[in-house]
Amino acid sequence: MSGNIFFTTYAKYTGFSVRRDDVVRDDEDIITMRRWVCSSEGFRRQKYIDMPERQRRPKPITRTGCGVEFRILRSRDKTCYTAKEFVIQHNHPTATALEMNYLRSNREVPDSMVAQVRTINKLGIKTSNIMAHVALQAGGYENVPYQLKDVYNAVAK
């Protein structure tokens, strides 16, 4: 869907991370409505905050009730999708240019890197060592547009 490409590109240059929120499908399992939101949209459910028998320390609360969203609807004649809502006003500070590479929706490992890591892994070199080499070539970890765990996840697929 091109709506996803549009909104994630917009988010990348504006300084926030995107997540898919809602989808409605028809009887033929075709998407009739899709909604993407800022990752800070909404609030954590109270039942997850007040867990009495918690085993681990809770993750920090990152949801601020941000209202940024993008919603598309499928036309009645089922030929195209139309933008229904596009809200751009955040209620929280957005990421700076240096922080944008670390936003979850902006971290993409190129297919060429995945292939390279898989090939070098077969030689017995650890992914963390490969990543250190990539960071050295890029001039530091801050210049690499993805993290080690993103490489692990991409290689594991």
Side-chain angles (χ1 to χ4, degrees):
M1 246 185 242
S2 60
N4 181 28
I5 296 168
F6 163 75
F7 197 56
T8 52
T9 304
Y10 170 76
K12 187 173 192 172
Y13 290 103
T14 309
F16 67 97
S17 191
V18 173
R19 66 181 167 85
R20 290 180 291 188
D21 182 54
D22 198 11
V23 64
V24 176
R25 297 177 186 269
D26 64 8
D27 296 336
E28 299 165 1
D29 205 35
I30 297 173
I31 295 174
T32 58
M33 190 279 298
R34 167 68 84 180
R35 182 173 176 241
W36 294 273
V37 296
C38 173
S39 61
S40 295
E41 186 268 346
F43 295 97
R44 186 175 296 174
R45 290 187 183 164
Q46 196 63 34
K47 71 178 186 178
Y48 296 115
I49 295 172
D50 299 335
M51 292 178 69
E53 298 174 12
R54 184 179 301 276
Q55 298 291 322
R56 290 188 260 174
R57 175 187 264 153
K59 292 183 180 180
I61 293 178
T62 57
R63 303 259 183 112
T64 63
C66 183
V68 171
E69 70 173 288
F70 180 61
R71 182 189 313 248
I72 60 170
L73 294 174
R74 192 163 186 215
S75 64
R76 293 199 185 272
D77 60 1
K78 300 181 179 182
T79 57
C80 63
Y81 289 90
T82 316
K84 178 68 176 170
E85 280 184 77
F86 185 43
V87 180
I88 60 171
Q89 189 63 41
H90 292 275
N91 68 352
H92 57 90
T94 56
T96 65
L98 295 174
E99 298 167 333
M100 283 193 218
N101 285 344
Y102 299 105
L103 297 175
R104 188 174 194 174
S105 64
N106 295 345
R107 298 186 324 228
E108 290 183 27
V109 181
D111 292 338
S112 59
M113 176 54 67
V114 173
Q116 184 178 5
V117 170
R118 283 184 178 149
T119 303
I120 297 173
N121 255 342
K122 289 180 182 177
L123 298 174
I125 299 173
K126 295 179 182 178
T127 308
S128 58
N129 292 342
I130 299 167
M131 193 66 186
H133 179 70
V134 169
L136 183 65
Q137 287 179 327
Y141 280 100
E142 66 276 359
N143 297 328
V144 179
Y146 40 85
Q147 296 176 348
L148 180 60
K149 66 182 175 181
D150 302 323
V151 175
Y152 280 128
N153 292 339
V155 170
K157 288 182 182 178

